[in-house]
Amino acid sequence: MIKRFLILSLVFFLGALTTSATHNRAGEITFNQVSLLTYRVQIVTYTKTSSPADRPALEINWGDGTKDSLQRISKTTVGPDISRSYYEGTHTYPGPSSFTGFFEDPHRNGGVVNIPGSVNVPFYVESKIIINPSLGYNNSPVLLQPPIDNGAVNRLFIHNPNAYDPDGDSLSYELVYCKGTAGLDIPGYSYPVGS
């Protein structure tokens, strides 16, 4: 099976950042299939350590009409003014289908050049779980490289998530538009264009 790995939030920090910057920098949702209908889901967020905003719990929408609050299991410093928070939960789905699990949190970092008023745009991350017994167990790709790189003005920016698939499936990558409130495209978002 080929799994598409969507790069959901490519943003440019190529201007001067303002002092009003808040906390959300990057995030991911990964999952492991525990049984036919049960999945263990992991959320990782990368946030600005110096921000007063802190999330000891995050609400996850499982994609089947139900929600849960996942408690933070750990918070560690991974770079200058960058914290990594880890949340985990288990959920049993009602039956085979395709489900888009997501979380939304107010306020991403300020000063993002291609997101107008970025500090006031909710941070949104999603992951699709496909339950199909004829395909066997389906786990998400594992991301080994944290998305904590810094871009520079007039320089090529490359981030390799160093992903692998525990099921041995091939992976492909695709840039998609950044999402905000309710998983909708962010108004005024400028899609990155190569030079």
Side-chain angles (χ1 to χ4, degrees), residues 124-139:
Y124 174 91
V125 178
E126 69 180 30
S127 192
K128 184 177 281 190
I129 294 176
I130 299 171
I131 304 174
N132 182 337
S134 64
L135 296 176
Y137 274 36
N138 184 22
N139 299 289

Side-chain angles (χ1 to χ4, degrees), residues 168-191:
D169 296 331
S170 62
L171 299 174
S172 67
Y173 298 87
E174 176 185 358
L175 287 175
V176 297
Y177 276 76
C178 282
K179 309 244 182 238
T181 305
L184 299 174
D185 290 347
I186 296 171
Y189 170 73
S190 300
Y191 192 76

Side-chain angles (χ1 to χ4, degrees), residues 10 29 38 66 76 101 133 159 167 190:
L10 182 64
I29 300 173
T38 302
T66 63
T76 55
H159 172 73
D167 302 322
S190 300

Side-chain angles (χ1 to χ4, degrees), residues 18-25 47-53 55 106-110 118-120:
T18 64
T19 56
S20 64
T22 184
H23 62 294
N24 283 307
R25 179 184 174 106
T47 57
K48 186 175 178 75
T49 306
S50 61
S51 171
R55 302 292 183 258
H107 311 300
R108 64 184 67 225
N109 275 347
S118 63
V119 75
N120 295 314

Side-chain angles (χ1 to χ4, degrees), residues 55-66:
R55 302 292 183 258
L58 281 178
E59 183 178 86
I60 185 168
N61 183 315
W62 295 107
D64 62 358
T66 63

